[in-house]
Amino acid sequence: MHPEEIKRLILAGMNCDHLELDGDGQHFLAVVVSAEFVGKNRVQRQQRVYQTLQDKLATGELHALSFKTLTPEEWSAQRG
C-alpha cells in the first residue's frame, strides 16, 4: 500500500490534529495525534486507529503498521 492511501484512510475515519506516516511500502510507522484519544488508554487508542484501516487489514493489503498515538497536549509536551 502507498503511504498516502493509508493517511487518507486514517484522516477519513477520524479527526486528527497531526498525522505523520513513514514506511518502505511494506512496513509503516505512523504518529497519530487526535483529541479523540483524551481519556483513552493505549489499547483503546490503537483500536480507534485500527477501525479506520479495518478493511485493508482484513484483506491483507496492509499488514505491518506500528503507530504512536498522542493527544494534542501530549504531542505538544513531547515536542517541548
Side-chain angles (χ1 to χ4, degrees):
M1 264 188 100
H2 194 275
E4 288 303 314
E5 175 70 5
I6 298 169
K7 284 177 79 170
R8 186 190 66 75
L9 290 167
I10 294 171
L11 290 170
M14 64 183 294
N15 294 319
C16 295
D17 293 79
H18 179 82
L19 176 59
E20 291 177 25
L21 187 69
D22 190 27
D24 61 9
Q26 296 293 321
H27 302 91
F28 299 95
L29 172 62
V31 175
V32 184
V33 180
S34 176
E36 291 187 33
F37 298 145
V38 174
K40 292 188 166 66
N41 65 37
R42 190 173 64 105
V43 172
Q44 291 169 321
R45 294 176 184 197
Q46 290 177 349
Q47 289 171 335
R48 179 66 185 102
V49 177
Y50 278 131
Q51 281 179 332
T52 68
L53 302 167
Q54 196 169 13
D55 292 341
K56 300 298 180 187
L57 291 164
T59 62
E61 290 180 68
L62 176 62
H63 62 274
L65 174 66
S66 300
F67 46 85
K68 182 184 260 189
T69 54
L70 303 162
T71 66
E73 293 79 16
E74 291 166 343
W75 174 247
S76 180
Q78 188 177 57
R79 296 187 62 179

